[in-house]
Short mmCIF file of all heavy atoms in Angstrom, two decimals:
data_model
loop_
_atom_site.label_atom_id
_atom_site.label_comp_id
_atom_site.label_asym_id
_atom_site.label_seq_id
_atom_site.Cartn_x
_atom_site.Cartn_y
_atom_site.Cartn_z
N MET A 1 0.82 -1.20 0.00
CA MET A 1 0.00 0.00 0.00
C MET A 1 0.86 1.27 0.00
O MET A 1 0.54 2.22 -0.67
CB MET A 1 -0.93 -0.06 1.22
CG MET A 1 -1.86 1.10 1.31
SD MET A 1 -3.04 1.00 -0.05
CE MET A 1 -4.23 2.16 0.48
N ARG A 2 1.95 1.24 0.76
CA ARG A 2 2.82 2.42 0.80
C ARG A 2 3.46 2.70 -0.55
O ARG A 2 3.64 3.85 -0.93
CB ARG A 2 3.91 2.24 1.85
CG ARG A 2 3.39 2.38 3.24
CD ARG A 2 4.50 2.31 4.24
NE ARG A 2 3.95 2.33 5.58
CZ ARG A 2 4.64 2.53 6.65
NH1 ARG A 2 5.93 2.74 6.56
NH2 ARG A 2 4.06 2.54 7.82
N LYS A 3 3.78 1.65 -1.25
CA LYS A 3 4.37 1.81 -2.58
C LYS A 3 3.40 2.51 -3.52
O LYS A 3 3.78 3.40 -4.29
CB LYS A 3 4.76 0.43 -3.13
CG LYS A 3 5.65 0.48 -4.31
CD LYS A 3 6.10 -0.93 -4.66
CE LYS A 3 7.13 -0.89 -5.75
NZ LYS A 3 7.61 -2.23 -6.09
N VAL A 4 2.14 2.16 -3.42
CA VAL A 4 1.11 2.78 -4.25
C VAL A 4 0.95 4.25 -3.87
O VAL A 4 0.88 5.12 -4.74
CB VAL A 4 -0.24 2.03 -4.12
CG1 VAL A 4 -1.36 2.80 -4.80
CG2 VAL A 4 -0.12 0.63 -4.68
N LEU A 5 0.92 4.54 -2.58
CA LEU A 5 0.78 5.93 -2.13
C LEU A 5 1.98 6.77 -2.55
O LEU A 5 1.82 7.92 -2.95
CB LEU A 5 0.60 5.98 -0.61
CG LEU A 5 -0.72 5.43 -0.09
CD1 LEU A 5 -0.74 5.45 1.43
CD2 LEU A 5 -1.89 6.23 -0.65
N ARG A 6 3.18 6.19 -2.48
CA ARG A 6 4.37 6.92 -2.94
C ARG A 6 4.28 7.23 -4.43
O ARG A 6 4.63 8.33 -4.88
CB ARG A 6 5.63 6.11 -2.66
CG ARG A 6 6.32 6.51 -1.40
CD ARG A 6 7.72 5.91 -1.36
NE ARG A 6 7.70 4.47 -1.54
CZ ARG A 6 7.89 3.60 -0.57
NH1 ARG A 6 8.16 4.01 0.64
NH2 ARG A 6 7.84 2.31 -0.82
N ALA A 7 3.80 6.27 -5.19
CA ALA A 7 3.67 6.47 -6.63
C ALA A 7 2.63 7.55 -6.94
O ALA A 7 2.84 8.39 -7.81
CB ALA A 7 3.28 5.16 -7.32
N VAL A 8 1.53 7.54 -6.22
CA VAL A 8 0.49 8.55 -6.41
C VAL A 8 1.03 9.93 -6.03
O VAL A 8 0.82 10.92 -6.75
CB VAL A 8 -0.78 8.22 -5.59
CG1 VAL A 8 -1.75 9.39 -5.56
CG2 VAL A 8 -1.45 6.97 -6.15
N ARG A 9 1.75 10.00 -4.91
CA ARG A 9 2.33 11.29 -4.48
C ARG A 9 3.30 11.81 -5.52
O ARG A 9 3.30 12.98 -5.87
CB ARG A 9 3.03 11.12 -3.14
CG ARG A 9 3.62 12.40 -2.61
CD ARG A 9 4.27 12.20 -1.24
NE ARG A 9 4.77 13.44 -0.72
CZ ARG A 9 6.02 13.86 -0.88
NH1 ARG A 9 6.89 13.13 -1.54
NH2 ARG A 9 6.40 15.02 -0.38
N TRP A 10 4.17 10.92 -6.04
CA TRP A 10 5.13 11.32 -7.07
C TRP A 10 4.39 11.87 -8.29
O TRP A 10 4.74 12.92 -8.83
CB TRP A 10 6.00 10.13 -7.48
CG TRP A 10 6.88 10.45 -8.64
CD1 TRP A 10 8.12 11.03 -8.58
CD2 TRP A 10 6.59 10.25 -10.03
NE1 TRP A 10 8.61 11.18 -9.86
CE2 TRP A 10 7.68 10.72 -10.77
CE3 TRP A 10 5.51 9.72 -10.71
CZ2 TRP A 10 7.72 10.68 -12.14
CZ3 TRP A 10 5.56 9.68 -12.09
CH2 TRP A 10 6.65 10.15 -12.79
N TYR A 11 3.36 11.15 -8.72
CA TYR A 11 2.61 11.55 -9.91
C TYR A 11 1.96 12.91 -9.72
O TYR A 11 2.04 13.78 -10.59
CB TYR A 11 1.55 10.48 -10.22
CG TYR A 11 0.75 10.78 -11.45
CD1 TYR A 11 1.26 10.53 -12.72
CD2 TYR A 11 -0.54 11.31 -11.36
CE1 TYR A 11 0.53 10.82 -13.86
CE2 TYR A 11 -1.28 11.60 -12.49
CZ TYR A 11 -0.73 11.35 -13.73
OH TYR A 11 -1.46 11.63 -14.86
N VAL A 12 1.32 13.12 -8.58
CA VAL A 12 0.66 14.40 -8.31
C VAL A 12 1.67 15.53 -8.28
O VAL A 12 1.44 16.60 -8.85
CB VAL A 12 -0.15 14.32 -7.00
CG1 VAL A 12 -0.64 15.70 -6.56
CG2 VAL A 12 -1.33 13.37 -7.16
N ARG A 13 2.82 15.32 -7.63
CA ARG A 13 3.85 16.37 -7.57
C ARG A 13 4.39 16.70 -8.95
O ARG A 13 4.66 17.86 -9.26
CB ARG A 13 4.98 15.94 -6.64
CG ARG A 13 4.56 16.00 -5.17
CD ARG A 13 5.66 15.53 -4.23
NE ARG A 13 6.99 16.05 -4.52
CZ ARG A 13 7.41 17.29 -4.24
NH1 ARG A 13 6.61 18.13 -3.65
NH2 ARG A 13 8.63 17.66 -4.53
N GLU A 14 4.55 15.69 -9.80
CA GLU A 14 5.02 15.93 -11.16
C GLU A 14 3.98 16.71 -11.97
O GLU A 14 4.32 17.64 -12.71
CB GLU A 14 5.35 14.62 -11.86
CG GLU A 14 6.60 13.95 -11.34
CD GLU A 14 7.87 14.73 -11.61
OE1 GLU A 14 7.96 15.45 -12.62
OE2 GLU A 14 8.80 14.60 -10.79
N MET A 15 2.74 16.35 -11.85
CA MET A 15 1.67 17.00 -12.61
C MET A 15 1.40 18.43 -12.15
O MET A 15 1.02 19.28 -12.95
CB MET A 15 0.38 16.19 -12.54
CG MET A 15 0.44 14.86 -13.24
SD MET A 15 0.74 15.04 -15.02
CE MET A 15 2.42 14.49 -15.17
N THR A 16 1.59 18.72 -10.87
CA THR A 16 1.31 20.06 -10.36
C THR A 16 2.52 20.99 -10.48
O THR A 16 2.38 22.20 -10.32
CB THR A 16 0.87 20.01 -8.89
OG1 THR A 16 1.93 19.45 -8.11
CG2 THR A 16 -0.41 19.24 -8.72
N GLY A 17 3.70 20.45 -10.74
CA GLY A 17 4.89 21.28 -10.87
C GLY A 17 5.67 21.44 -9.58
O GLY A 17 6.70 22.09 -9.56
N GLU A 18 5.19 20.88 -8.49
CA GLU A 18 5.90 21.00 -7.22
C GLU A 18 7.29 20.38 -7.29
O GLU A 18 8.24 20.91 -6.74
CB GLU A 18 5.09 20.34 -6.10
CG GLU A 18 3.85 21.11 -5.71
CD GLU A 18 4.17 22.49 -5.18
OE1 GLU A 18 5.06 22.62 -4.31
OE2 GLU A 18 3.54 23.44 -5.65
N ALA A 19 7.42 19.26 -7.97
CA ALA A 19 8.71 18.59 -8.09
C ALA A 19 9.69 19.44 -8.90
O ALA A 19 10.89 19.43 -8.64
CB ALA A 19 8.54 17.22 -8.71
N ALA A 20 9.19 20.21 -9.85
CA ALA A 20 10.06 21.05 -10.67
C ALA A 20 10.73 22.12 -9.82
O ALA A 20 11.92 22.42 -10.01
CB ALA A 20 9.26 21.69 -11.80
N TYR A 21 10.00 22.70 -8.88
CA TYR A 21 10.60 23.71 -8.00
C TYR A 21 11.68 23.06 -7.13
O TYR A 21 12.76 23.63 -6.95
CB TYR A 21 9.55 24.38 -7.12
CG TYR A 21 10.17 25.38 -6.16
CD1 TYR A 21 10.63 26.61 -6.62
CD2 TYR A 21 10.33 25.09 -4.82
CE1 TYR A 21 11.23 27.53 -5.76
CE2 TYR A 21 10.92 25.99 -3.95
CZ TYR A 21 11.37 27.21 -4.42
OH TYR A 21 11.96 28.10 -3.57
N ASP A 22 11.41 21.88 -6.61
CA ASP A 22 12.40 21.18 -5.80
C ASP A 22 13.66 20.89 -6.60
O ASP A 22 14.77 21.03 -6.10
CB ASP A 22 11.82 19.88 -5.24
CG ASP A 22 10.70 20.14 -4.24
OD1 ASP A 22 10.62 21.27 -3.71
OD2 ASP A 22 9.91 19.21 -4.00
N ARG A 23 13.50 20.50 -7.86
CA ARG A 23 14.67 20.26 -8.72
C ARG A 23 15.43 21.57 -8.96
O ARG A 23 16.66 21.58 -8.99
CB ARG A 23 14.24 19.64 -10.05
CG ARG A 23 13.88 18.18 -9.93
CD ARG A 23 13.71 17.52 -11.28
NE ARG A 23 12.58 18.04 -12.04
CZ ARG A 23 11.34 17.58 -11.96
NH1 ARG A 23 11.05 16.58 -11.15
NH2 ARG A 23 10.39 18.11 -12.70
N TYR A 24 14.71 22.67 -9.14
CA TYR A 24 15.35 23.98 -9.31
C TYR A 24 16.20 24.32 -8.09
O TYR A 24 17.35 24.74 -8.23
CB TYR A 24 14.31 25.07 -9.56
CG TYR A 24 14.80 26.45 -9.20
CD1 TYR A 24 15.72 27.11 -10.01
CD2 TYR A 24 14.37 27.08 -8.04
CE1 TYR A 24 16.20 28.37 -9.67
CE2 TYR A 24 14.85 28.33 -7.70
CZ TYR A 24 15.76 28.97 -8.50
OH TYR A 24 16.24 30.20 -8.16
N VAL A 25 15.64 24.15 -6.90
CA VAL A 25 16.37 24.49 -5.67
C VAL A 25 17.62 23.63 -5.54
O VAL A 25 18.69 24.13 -5.20
CB VAL A 25 15.46 24.35 -4.44
CG1 VAL A 25 16.25 24.48 -3.15
CG2 VAL A 25 14.36 25.41 -4.48
N ALA A 26 17.51 22.34 -5.84
CA ALA A 26 18.67 21.45 -5.75
C ALA A 26 19.74 21.85 -6.76
O ALA A 26 20.93 21.89 -6.42
CB ALA A 26 18.23 20.01 -5.98
N ALA A 27 19.35 22.14 -7.98
CA ALA A 27 20.32 22.55 -9.00
C ALA A 27 20.93 23.90 -8.65
O ALA A 27 22.13 24.12 -8.88
CB ALA A 27 19.64 22.62 -10.37
N HIS A 28 20.15 24.78 -8.10
CA HIS A 28 20.64 26.10 -7.74
C HIS A 28 21.72 25.98 -6.65
O HIS A 28 22.74 26.66 -6.71
CB HIS A 28 19.50 26.98 -7.25
CG HIS A 28 19.90 28.37 -6.87
ND1 HIS A 28 20.76 29.12 -7.61
CD2 HIS A 28 19.55 29.16 -5.84
CE1 HIS A 28 20.94 30.30 -7.05
NE2 HIS A 28 20.22 30.34 -5.97
N ALA A 29 21.49 25.13 -5.69
CA ALA A 29 22.46 24.93 -4.62
C ALA A 29 23.77 24.39 -5.16
O ALA A 29 24.85 24.75 -4.69
CB ALA A 29 21.89 23.99 -3.56
N THR A 30 23.69 23.56 -6.18
CA THR A 30 24.89 22.97 -6.77
C THR A 30 25.67 23.96 -7.63
O THR A 30 26.88 24.02 -7.58
CB THR A 30 24.50 21.76 -7.65
OG1 THR A 30 23.79 20.84 -6.85
CG2 THR A 30 25.72 21.10 -8.24
N HIS A 31 24.94 24.80 -8.38
CA HIS A 31 25.59 25.66 -9.36
C HIS A 31 25.68 27.13 -8.98
O HIS A 31 26.52 27.85 -9.51
CB HIS A 31 24.87 25.55 -10.71
CG HIS A 31 24.84 24.16 -11.24
ND1 HIS A 31 25.96 23.51 -11.70
CD2 HIS A 31 23.82 23.28 -11.37
CE1 HIS A 31 25.64 22.29 -12.10
NE2 HIS A 31 24.35 22.12 -11.90
N HIS A 32 24.80 27.59 -8.12
CA HIS A 32 24.75 29.03 -7.81
C HIS A 32 24.68 29.25 -6.30
O HIS A 32 23.83 29.98 -5.81
CB HIS A 32 23.53 29.68 -8.45
CG HIS A 32 23.44 29.46 -9.93
ND1 HIS A 32 24.23 30.13 -10.82
CD2 HIS A 32 22.68 28.62 -10.66
CE1 HIS A 32 23.94 29.72 -12.05
NE2 HIS A 32 23.01 28.80 -11.98
N GLY A 33 25.58 28.68 -5.57
CA GLY A 33 25.55 28.77 -4.12
C GLY A 33 25.88 30.14 -3.57
O GLY A 33 25.76 30.38 -2.37
N ASP A 34 26.30 31.08 -4.44
CA ASP A 34 26.69 32.40 -3.96
C ASP A 34 25.52 33.33 -3.66
O ASP A 34 25.71 34.36 -3.04
CB ASP A 34 27.65 33.06 -4.96
CG ASP A 34 27.05 33.17 -6.35
OD1 ASP A 34 26.16 32.36 -6.69
OD2 ASP A 34 27.48 34.06 -7.11
N HIS A 35 24.30 32.98 -4.07
CA HIS A 35 23.13 33.78 -3.73
C HIS A 35 21.93 32.85 -3.53
O HIS A 35 21.92 31.73 -4.05
CB HIS A 35 22.84 34.83 -4.81
CG HIS A 35 22.52 34.26 -6.16
ND1 HIS A 35 23.51 33.83 -7.03
CD2 HIS A 35 21.35 34.02 -6.78
CE1 HIS A 35 22.94 33.37 -8.13
NE2 HIS A 35 21.63 33.45 -8.00
N PRO A 36 20.96 33.30 -2.76
CA PRO A 36 19.82 32.41 -2.44
C PRO A 36 18.95 32.16 -3.67
O PRO A 36 18.87 32.99 -4.58
CB PRO A 36 19.05 33.18 -1.37
CG PRO A 36 19.44 34.60 -1.54
CD PRO A 36 20.84 34.60 -2.10
N PRO A 37 18.27 31.01 -3.69
CA PRO A 37 17.37 30.72 -4.81
C PRO A 37 16.13 31.59 -4.76
O PRO A 37 15.83 32.22 -3.74
CB PRO A 37 17.02 29.25 -4.60
CG PRO A 37 17.16 29.03 -3.15
CD PRO A 37 18.29 29.93 -2.71
N LEU A 38 15.40 31.64 -5.86
CA LEU A 38 14.14 32.36 -5.88
C LEU A 38 13.16 31.71 -4.91
O LEU A 38 13.23 30.50 -4.67
CB LEU A 38 13.53 32.31 -7.28
CG LEU A 38 14.30 32.96 -8.42
CD1 LEU A 38 13.60 32.67 -9.75
CD2 LEU A 38 14.43 34.44 -8.20
N THR A 39 12.27 32.51 -4.36
CA THR A 39 11.22 31.93 -3.53
C THR A 39 10.29 31.15 -4.45
O THR A 39 10.33 31.30 -5.68
CB THR A 39 10.40 33.01 -2.80
OG1 THR A 39 9.72 33.80 -3.78
CG2 THR A 39 11.28 33.87 -1.93
N ARG A 40 9.44 30.33 -3.87
CA ARG A 40 8.50 29.54 -4.67
C ARG A 40 7.63 30.47 -5.53
O ARG A 40 7.44 30.22 -6.72
CB ARG A 40 7.63 28.69 -3.75
CG ARG A 40 6.80 27.68 -4.46
CD ARG A 40 6.06 26.79 -3.48
NE ARG A 40 6.94 26.03 -2.61
CZ ARG A 40 7.43 24.83 -2.91
NH1 ARG A 40 7.10 24.24 -4.02
NH2 ARG A 40 8.22 24.20 -2.07
N ALA A 41 7.15 31.57 -4.96
CA ALA A 41 6.30 32.50 -5.71
C ALA A 41 7.08 33.17 -6.85
O ALA A 41 6.57 33.30 -7.97
CB ALA A 41 5.72 33.56 -4.78
N GLN A 42 8.31 33.58 -6.59
CA GLN A 42 9.13 34.20 -7.62
C GLN A 42 9.42 33.21 -8.74
O GLN A 42 9.40 33.57 -9.92
CB GLN A 42 10.45 34.69 -7.03
CG GLN A 42 10.32 35.86 -6.10
CD GLN A 42 11.62 36.13 -5.36
OE1 GLN A 42 12.40 35.21 -5.07
NE2 GLN A 42 11.85 37.39 -5.03
N TRP A 43 9.71 31.96 -8.36
CA TRP A 43 10.01 30.95 -9.35
C TRP A 43 8.82 30.68 -10.25
O TRP A 43 8.95 30.61 -11.47
CB TRP A 43 10.46 29.66 -8.66
CG TRP A 43 10.83 28.59 -9.62
CD1 TRP A 43 12.03 28.46 -10.26
CD2 TRP A 43 10.02 27.51 -10.07
NE1 TRP A 43 12.00 27.35 -11.07
CE2 TRP A 43 10.77 26.75 -10.97
CE3 TRP A 43 8.71 27.11 -9.79
CZ2 TRP A 43 10.27 25.62 -11.59
CZ3 TRP A 43 8.22 25.98 -10.41
CH2 TRP A 43 8.99 25.26 -11.29
N TRP A 44 7.62 30.56 -9.67
CA TRP A 44 6.41 30.34 -10.47
C TRP A 44 6.16 31.51 -11.41
O TRP A 44 5.79 31.33 -12.57
CB TRP A 44 5.19 30.12 -9.58
CG TRP A 44 5.09 28.72 -9.07
CD1 TRP A 44 5.38 28.29 -7.81
CD2 TRP A 44 4.69 27.56 -9.80
NE1 TRP A 44 5.17 26.94 -7.73
CE2 TRP A 44 4.76 26.46 -8.93
CE3 TRP A 44 4.30 27.35 -11.12
CZ2 TRP A 44 4.43 25.18 -9.33
CZ3 TRP A 44 3.97 26.06 -11.51
CH2 TRP A 44 4.04 24.99 -10.63
N ARG A 45 6.36 32.74 -10.92
CA ARG A 45 6.15 33.92 -11.74
C ARG A 45 7.13 33.92 -12.92
O ARG A 45 6.75 34.17 -14.06
CB ARG A 45 6.31 35.19 -10.91
CG ARG A 45 5.86 36.44 -11.62
CD ARG A 45 5.86 37.65 -10.71
NE ARG A 45 5.07 37.42 -9.50
CZ ARG A 45 5.58 37.44 -8.25
NH1 ARG A 45 6.85 37.69 -8.04
NH2 ARG A 45 4.80 37.22 -7.21
N ALA A 46 8.40 33.63 -12.66
CA ALA A 46 9.42 33.60 -13.72
C ALA A 46 9.11 32.48 -14.72
O ALA A 46 9.26 32.67 -15.93
CB ALA A 46 10.80 33.39 -13.10
N ARG A 47 8.66 31.35 -14.23
CA ARG A 47 8.31 30.23 -15.11
C ARG A 47 7.14 30.61 -16.02
O ARG A 47 7.16 30.35 -17.22
CB ARG A 47 7.95 29.02 -14.25
CG ARG A 47 7.61 27.80 -15.04
CD ARG A 47 7.28 26.66 -14.10
NE ARG A 47 6.92 25.48 -14.85
CZ ARG A 47 6.26 24.46 -14.37
NH1 ARG A 47 5.92 24.45 -13.12
NH2 ARG A 47 5.96 23.44 -15.12
N ASP A 48 6.12 31.23 -15.45
CA ASP A 48 4.96 31.66 -16.24
C ASP A 48 5.35 32.73 -17.27
O ASP A 48 4.90 32.70 -18.41
CB ASP A 48 3.85 32.17 -15.35
CG ASP A 48 3.17 31.06 -14.55
OD1 ASP A 48 3.34 29.88 -14.91
OD2 ASP A 48 2.49 31.39 -13.56
N ASP A 49 6.19 33.68 -16.85
CA ASP A 49 6.63 34.73 -17.77
C ASP A 49 7.41 34.12 -18.95
O ASP A 49 7.22 34.52 -20.10
CB ASP A 49 7.51 35.76 -17.06
CG ASP A 49 6.73 36.62 -16.09
OD1 ASP A 49 5.46 36.61 -16.14
OD2 ASP A 49 7.36 37.30 -15.25
N ALA A 50 8.27 33.16 -18.67
CA ALA A 50 9.05 32.52 -19.73
C ALA A 50 8.13 31.77 -20.69
O ALA A 50 8.32 31.82 -21.90
CB ALA A 50 10.08 31.58 -19.12
N ARG A 51 7.14 31.10 -20.16
CA ARG A 51 6.21 30.37 -21.03
C ARG A 51 5.40 31.34 -21.90
O ARG A 51 5.13 31.04 -23.06
CB ARG A 51 5.27 29.52 -20.19
CG ARG A 51 5.94 28.29 -19.65
CD ARG A 51 4.97 27.42 -18.90
NE ARG A 51 5.60 26.16 -18.53
CZ ARG A 51 4.99 25.20 -17.91
NH1 ARG A 51 3.72 25.31 -17.59
NH2 ARG A 51 5.63 24.10 -17.60
N GLU A 52 5.03 32.49 -21.35
CA GLU A 52 4.30 33.48 -22.15
C GLU A 52 5.17 34.02 -23.26
O GLU A 52 4.71 34.21 -24.39
CB GLU A 52 3.81 34.62 -21.27
CG GLU A 52 2.50 34.35 -20.60
CD GLU A 52 1.93 35.58 -19.94
OE1 GLU A 52 2.04 36.69 -20.50
OE2 GLU A 52 1.38 35.42 -18.84
N ARG A 53 6.44 34.31 -22.96
CA ARG A 53 7.35 34.82 -23.99
C ARG A 53 7.49 33.83 -25.13
O ARG A 53 7.44 34.21 -26.30
CB ARG A 53 8.72 35.11 -23.38
CG ARG A 53 8.90 36.50 -22.88
CD ARG A 53 10.35 36.81 -22.58
NE ARG A 53 11.02 35.83 -21.75
CZ ARG A 53 10.94 35.77 -20.43
NH1 ARG A 53 10.21 36.64 -19.78
NH2 ARG A 53 11.62 34.85 -19.76
N VAL A 54 7.66 32.57 -24.80
CA VAL A 54 7.81 31.54 -25.83
C VAL A 54 6.53 31.43 -26.66
O VAL A 54 6.59 31.31 -27.89
CB VAL A 54 8.18 30.18 -25.20
CG1 VAL A 54 8.08 29.05 -26.21
CG2 VAL A 54 9.57 30.25 -24.60
N ALA A 55 5.40 31.52 -26.01
CA ALA A 55 4.13 31.42 -26.73
C ALA A 55 3.96 32.58 -27.71
O ALA A 55 3.48 32.39 -28.83
CB ALA A 55 2.97 31.40 -25.74
N HIS A 56 4.37 33.78 -27.31
CA HIS A 56 4.22 34.93 -28.20
C HIS A 56 5.26 34.92 -29.32
O HIS A 56 4.99 35.42 -30.41
CB HIS A 56 4.35 36.24 -27.39
CG HIS A 56 3.19 36.46 -26.47
ND1 HIS A 56 1.91 36.70 -26.92
CD2 HIS A 56 3.09 36.46 -25.13
CE1 HIS A 56 1.09 36.85 -25.90
NE2 HIS A 56 1.80 36.71 -24.79
N GLU A 57 6.43 34.37 -29.06
CA GLU A 57 7.46 34.32 -30.09
C GLU A 57 7.12 33.31 -31.19
O GLU A 57 7.48 33.50 -32.34
CB GLU A 57 8.80 33.95 -29.47
CG GLU A 57 9.37 35.05 -28.60
CD GLU A 57 10.61 34.59 -27.83
OE1 GLU A 57 11.02 33.42 -27.98
OE2 GLU A 57 11.16 35.40 -27.09
N SER A 58 6.44 32.24 -30.83
CA SER A 58 6.17 31.20 -31.81
C SER A 58 4.79 31.31 -32.44
O SER A 58 4.43 30.53 -33.28
CB SER A 58 6.32 29.84 -31.15
OG SER A 58 5.37 29.67 -30.14
N CYS A 59 4.05 32.29 -32.05
CA CYS A 59 2.70 32.44 -32.58
C CYS A 59 2.72 33.06 -33.98
O CYS A 59 3.45 33.99 -34.25
CB CYS A 59 1.87 33.31 -31.64
SG CYS A 59 0.19 33.55 -32.22
N CYS A 60 1.96 32.52 -34.84
CA CYS A 60 1.70 33.04 -36.20
C CYS A 60 2.98 33.31 -36.96
O CYS A 60 3.22 34.24 -37.59
CB CYS A 60 0.82 34.27 -36.14
SG CYS A 60 -0.67 33.97 -35.16
#
């Protein structure tokens, strides 16, 4: 049963983007330890802004 719950938790975190922020923080600590990582809210805002830019660049 625990294995199933772990799999469900993993899936939900992947689908909601929570795991992506955790990966960002881990990578940031490895590569950019000289300054703190973005907060969760800042990271989501930057991610959304980047997606909007890409959408407008590739449109029509």
